[in-house]
Amino acid sequence: THPVVYQGWFRGCPYSGVADVHVREENPPVFTNLKNHYCTQDTAFSLEAFPPGGAFEGAVVVSGNRFVPHYGPGIYDVTYTVNQNGCETKTTLSVAISEPPAVNVAVQHPVSTEPGYVYMFINNATPERPYEVLINGETVFSGNYYEGFAFARPAGTYELAVRLGICEFSQTV
């Protein structure tokens, strides 16, 4: 509460007074389950924010509060608007949605105990979107251009993964 002094003239006579003005503290709304980066293959989910009871909007928001990453790659603003004590407040978060790695994999199995070969071609890497190639969780190669290469491995089963930013392609070979 703050005292406000006012003065003025009314019909040629001065007047003054003091009024107490209460300024409410306003906590800005916050997203409680929205990150700033998703992949197009991520599952849609219901948005949540605090305080509850507001409205979500944005190109990647459907049915009032469903966030749909499969909308497509790009950067999108998601806004949450809520009425708090008679005052409308908003918060906006820019969310990046990326495509997963586009990977072609071919496996040549050995006819005996010789090593087999895994041939890969990574189609959508760019200097701005470097990638990592992992075999059984271990990074074996990284790059940032369209790449084609082969791995020789002893006979067996391997979990092959390619990470492009936060998005991942994986396949058991």
Side-chain angles (χ1 to χ4, degrees):
T1 302
H2 302 279
V4 175
V5 177
Y6 58 91
Q7 297 177 336
W9 291 88
F10 183 71
R11 294 188 181 164
C13 297
Y15 70 91
S16 65
V18 177
D20 287 335
V21 175
H22 178 72
V23 178
R24 294 184 190 147
E25 271 191 55
E26 183 179 289
N27 295 320
V30 293
F31 293 100
T32 57
N33 68 338
L34 185 64
K35 301 180 293 187
N36 60 3
H37 200 167
Y38 291 88
C39 300
T40 54
Q41 81 268 28
D42 289 341
T43 304
F45 62 92
S46 295
L47 290 166
E48 297 173 3
F50 184 84
F56 298 93
E57 56 187 316
V60 291
V61 178
V62 298
S63 300
N65 72 336
R66 297 287 294 167
F67 178 76
V68 288
H70 56 269
Y71 184 82
I75 297 176
Y76 303 96
D77 286 340
V78 177
T79 300
Y80 179 67
T81 306
V82 65
N83 188 316
Q84 298 183 78
N85 302 317
C87 298
E88 182 178 278
T89 56
K90 293 183 179 189
T91 190
T92 299
L93 181 64
S94 291
V95 178
I97 299 176
S98 301
E99 288 184 322
V103 180
N104 296 325
V105 177
V107 179
Q108 177 186 5
H109 293 285
V111 285
S112 63
T113 58
E114 297 174 18
Y117 292 92
V118 176
Y119 300 95
M120 295 179 47
F121 190 78
I122 299 171
N123 299 314
N124 60 345
T126 67
E128 298 80 30
R129 295 185 69 201
Y131 63 89
E132 284 181 274
V133 176
L134 298 93
I135 296 180
N136 293 342
E138 179 184 336
T139 300
V140 294
F141 189 80
S142 62
N144 60 354
Y145 290 99
Y146 298 130
E147 297 280 352
F149 46 88
F151 297 102
R153 292 285 184 229
T157 301
Y158 298 93
E159 184 64 30
L160 172 68
V162 177
R163 286 192 192 134
L164 188 60
I166 67 160
C167 301
E168 186 172 293
F169 161 90
S170 64
Q171 178 175 333
T172 300
V173 294

